[in-house]
Amino acid sequence: MRTTPDALMLFAAGFGTRMGALTANRPKPLIPVAGKVLLDHALDLTRAAGIARVVANVHYLGDQVVRHLAGRDVMISDETNDILETGGGLRKALPLLGHGPVFTLNTDAVWSGPNVVSTLRGQWDGARMSALLALIPAEKAVGHRGTGDFALDAEGRITRGGPYVYTGAQILNPAGIETISGAAFSLNLLWDRMIAEGRAFGVVHRGGWCDVGRPESIPLAEAMLEQADG
């Protein structure tokens, strides 16, 4: 069993209902932002970090995602029949991902600055950690609505509620995921266990981040990326 993660799950199965008409005929991961679809923004981060094994899950209009990824060395975890949420989706994909800790990366956000996947890998300590979440201060979370998700203590452990927003990038040791009942469930259930055990940590992303969950977030994301390139 590996101790250093070298496999990554791209979450690409959501309905994208907040995108309205933009997702009537295409899945949210294939919405373009700054001349590149959201899925490719995430995949480029993955490739730049040198991740060897990549899996994407698909559900809504999943055939389009499968065609987009054809020939790009990405394995597909097919959730066409039943969408499984983040926890169920990860559990279904584990035979493809392999044993041990894995990266997961949402495909409805964009990052700038340091590669968030590389940052996570550099901070991972499997002896102390079962989860390591990439966070950003709420005031810097472009496109995000609401308050923060987590607080950080002096040693980097997370607790619920606080000034930091989860960016959708993490390393997770999925040990115990098989004990959660039901096919579809959120990774929040696993996080709660890890927080209670003192094994859930956070690392602050030092670049930019934009939640591209709504149409009005697209120009915000493009402006952020343009500023980062300027």
Side-chain angles (χ1 to χ4, degrees):
M1 179 185 295
R2 61 173 177 253
T3 56
T4 301
D6 65 356
L8 184 144
M9 173 91 175
L10 292 167
F11 286 122
F15 290 100
T17 52
R18 292 181 299 163
M19 280 292 187
L22 291 179
T23 51
N25 298 301
R26 64 182 159 186
K28 183 164 63 170
L30 298 187
I31 289 176
V33 173
K36 183 190 303 183
V37 301
L38 283 166
L39 181 57
D40 287 351
H41 283 281
L43 190 56
D44 284 354
L45 283 174
T46 303
R47 299 302 192 202
I51 304 301
R53 182 181 292 255
V54 183
V55 177
N57 64 342
V58 298
H59 177 75
Y60 176 66
L61 300 176
D63 57 324
Q64 294 185 33
V65 177
V66 171
R67 287 197 300 270
H68 183 79
L69 292 173
R72 300 175 70 183
D73 200 22
V74 176
M75 292 176 284
I76 301 297
S77 181
D78 190 348
E79 298 178 25
T80 299
N81 293 330
D82 295 293
I83 193 165
L84 300 174
E85 301 185 49
T86 52
L90 177 60
R91 182 166 65 187
K92 178 179 172 66
L94 286 179
L96 300 174
L97 291 162
H99 296 288
V102 298
F103 295 89
T104 77
L105 190 60
N106 292 357
T107 59
D108 58 357
V110 294
W111 289 259
S112 65
N115 186 315
V116 68
V117 178
S118 298
T119 297
L120 286 165
R121 182 168 49 201
Q123 295 295 313
W124 175 252
D125 178 0
R128 293 191 306 139
M129 302 173 179
S130 294
L132 178 63
L133 281 61
L135 309 174
I136 195 164
E139 67 271 14
K140 295 183 178 180
V142 179
H144 177 74
R145 295 184 180 180
T147 57
D149 303 312
F150 297 103
L152 281 171
D153 72 8
E155 295 182 343
R157 289 183 176 87
I158 60 172
T159 51
R160 294 281 186 181
Y164 294 98
V165 172
Y166 174 55
T167 65
Q170 67 170 332
I171 296 173
L172 186 78
N173 186 334
I177 198 171
E178 72 281 353
T179 67
I180 296 176
S181 61
F185 60 92
S186 170
L187 282 176
N188 279 290
L189 296 179
L190 211 53
W191 286 347
D192 285 342
R193 290 183 183 180
M194 295 168 177
I195 290 170
E197 295 166 353
R199 292 186 57 84
F201 287 74
V203 60
V204 177
H205 175 56
R206 299 301 179 184
W209 176 80
C210 183
D211 176 1
V212 193
R214 296 176 175 84
E216 59 268 26
S217 296
I218 295 174
L220 298 178
E222 291 176 336
M224 184 194 80
L225 293 172
E226 184 178 359
Q227 183 178 18
D229 291 340

